[in-house]
Amino acid sequence: MTAAEWHSTLFQFIGVILSFVTFVGSVIAIYYTYQNLKEMRKQLNEQKAQYFEQNRGNLIFYISKSDIGITHDLIIKNFGNSPAKLISLKITPDLDWSKAGQTGVDDFNITKLNNIFLAPQQHIGTLFDFTNYEETELDVEICYTTCEKQFTENYKIDLNYLHKVLRTEPKIDNELQALKYINKSINALSDKFI
């Protein structure tokens, strides 16, 4: 083999090695690019899910002690940032509306409501008196749609805690504070009836 042939063979061998190293480097770059795109897709999906959770409607049924009288308020409120439509509300055991504490309240049985549209922060409610009610726990199933998705949530409400809520009364020192408190009370009362 002559020196020229030997140099030619050496350059070809070096060329093949460089081509192989370039190929391996390209495969490694493609692999890391794929992993990077996969991670970016995962983060984008998490951001979409988080954005949806922050902005969807969120209907909650709860019971609170009425500010006036001995009754309780049964309330369905949209705590979310998008409208929601109530499909159904099921309370187990069923509430005995003959024990509601008021006459004519049976017509406002909150569990009979369906297909009710609630804007963000809007609520609907009715009255019920749990003073002589035998049951201590209620199983709640609320079904609603928001942002073209349907949700069904289940939870328990323990009636034993309804009477254990601490409330404070305002200290009124002058007429301006009294008027502000009266205004706040009227607004709270009107929110319950609207």
Side-chain angles (χ1 to χ4, degrees):
M1 180 180 291
T2 65
E5 289 175 343
W6 189 81
H7 286 312
S8 174
T9 305
L10 180 64
F11 286 132
Q12 287 177 356
F13 180 71
I14 292 173
V16 168
I17 290 175
L18 289 176
S19 296
F20 180 74
V21 169
T22 303
F23 174 74
V24 170
S26 298
V27 168
I28 292 171
I30 289 170
Y31 173 77
Y32 282 113
T33 302
Y34 174 74
Q35 292 297 325
N36 190 21
L37 289 174
K38 196 165 125 180
E39 183 64 29
M40 287 172 57
R41 180 178 295 150
K42 178 182 170 188
Q43 288 176 359
L44 181 63
N45 289 337
E46 287 174 0
Q47 287 176 348
K48 283 181 183 179
Q50 183 179 11
Y51 180 80
F52 176 76
E53 285 298 319
Q54 289 174 347
N55 291 299
R56 74 177 178 93
N58 188 16
L59 292 187
I60 303 287
F61 169 79
Y62 64 97
I63 302 171
S64 73
K65 180 83 171 93
S66 179
D67 290 333
I68 50 176
I70 59 170
T71 60
H72 294 83
D73 298 321
L74 307 179
I75 300 170
I76 300 172
K77 182 172 180 178
N78 183 357
F79 285 96
N81 294 321
S82 292
K85 182 177 177 183
L86 174 68
I87 303 298
S88 66
L89 173 67
K90 190 186 311 180
I91 300 174
T92 307
D94 288 335
L95 297 177
D96 183 1
W97 287 89
S98 65
K99 299 177 183 177
Q102 303 285 327
T103 57
V105 177
D106 188 31
D107 296 334
F108 299 98
N109 183 341
I110 202 164
T111 58
K112 292 181 182 176
L113 300 177
N114 55 18
N115 296 322
I116 304 293
F117 179 84
L118 292 171
Q121 305 308 313
Q122 187 179 25
H123 68 277
I124 54 175
T126 190
L127 300 172
F128 197 88
D129 184 8
F130 287 102
T131 305
N132 297 321
Y133 205 72
E134 295 91 24
E135 301 295 332
T136 59
E137 279 192 354
L138 300 176
D139 291 318
V140 176
E141 179 183 281
I142 188 167
C143 183
Y144 61 94
T145 59
T146 182
C147 301
E148 300 178 1
K149 290 188 178 183
Q150 184 167 327
F151 294 90
T152 300
E153 298 181 15
N154 298 293
Y155 49 92
K156 289 186 180 296
I157 295 179
D158 190 344
L159 298 177
N160 292 320
Y161 291 100
L162 291 179
H163 305 289
K164 296 180 181 176
V165 176
L166 176 64
R167 291 188 176 259
T168 59
E169 296 294 324
K171 182 178 177 187
I172 299 173
D173 295 329
N174 57 41
E175 293 83 14
L176 181 60
Q177 284 180 332
L179 289 173
K180 286 181 180 179
Y181 181 71
I182 291 169
N183 182 36
K184 188 176 179 181
S185 297
I186 290 171
N187 285 336
L189 188 61
S190 69
D191 282 346
K192 293 184 181 195
F193 290 112
I194 294 179

